[in-house]
Amino acid sequence: MEPDDPTPDLDPLLCEALSWVVRMHSGEATRAHLVELQQWRGMSLEHEEAFREASQLWRACREAARELAEEAAAATVAADPPPAGARCDPLQDRLSTGSDASRIRLFSPKGR
């Protein structure tokens, strides 16, 4: 095994299928890429199976990344509580009209 080879144990056909999945999700895929992919998948049953496996791996990785992001966001919220004396009053605090119009202030100092 070479240290530069990130996929030493993967089937070469699966590696090729993973490359197709990455390309198709890159945002830079063209109609020509789609036609090439369809031709590649049609080469054999093994090509189609490799593509399906690569697609499943992609979905599993995307789901795992989403869960990790949610956990990190929850940990950040838990680690950064509102300041002492702050209260939650979303009805009192309206959307600002400045450049931060998309943000809602949920916490405001007591008495505001």
Side-chain angles (χ1 to χ4, degrees), residues 55-73:
S55 295
Q56 288 175 330
L57 287 169
W58 180 270
R59 284 189 297 274
C61 288
R62 187 176 56 199
E63 178 65 20
R66 184 190 60 75
E67 289 175 8
L68 287 172
E70 287 175 359
E71 289 173 10

Side-chain angles (χ1 to χ4, degrees), residues 2-3 5 10 21 25 27 34 36 38 44 57 59 61 66 68 87 91 93-94 103:
E2 293 295 318
D5 187 1
L10 290 180
V21 170
H25 287 277
L34 180 58
E36 288 177 51
Q38 289 170 336
S44 71
L57 287 169
R59 284 189 297 274
C61 288
R66 184 190 60 75
L68 287 172
R87 62 185 171 77
L91 295 177
D93 298 326
R94 307 277 195 276
R103 295 177 47 181

Side-chain angles (χ1 to χ4, degrees), residues 16-41 51 54-55 58 62:
E16 198 172 344
L18 286 167
S19 293
W20 274 112
V21 170
V22 169
R23 180 180 301 150
M24 298 311 288
H25 287 277
S26 70
E28 297 178 10
T30 65
R31 282 202 180 273
H33 289 127
L34 180 58
V35 169
E36 288 177 51
L37 171 60
Q38 289 170 336
Q39 290 171 347
W40 184 88
R41 290 173 70 179
F51 183 78
S55 295
W58 180 270
R62 187 176 56 199

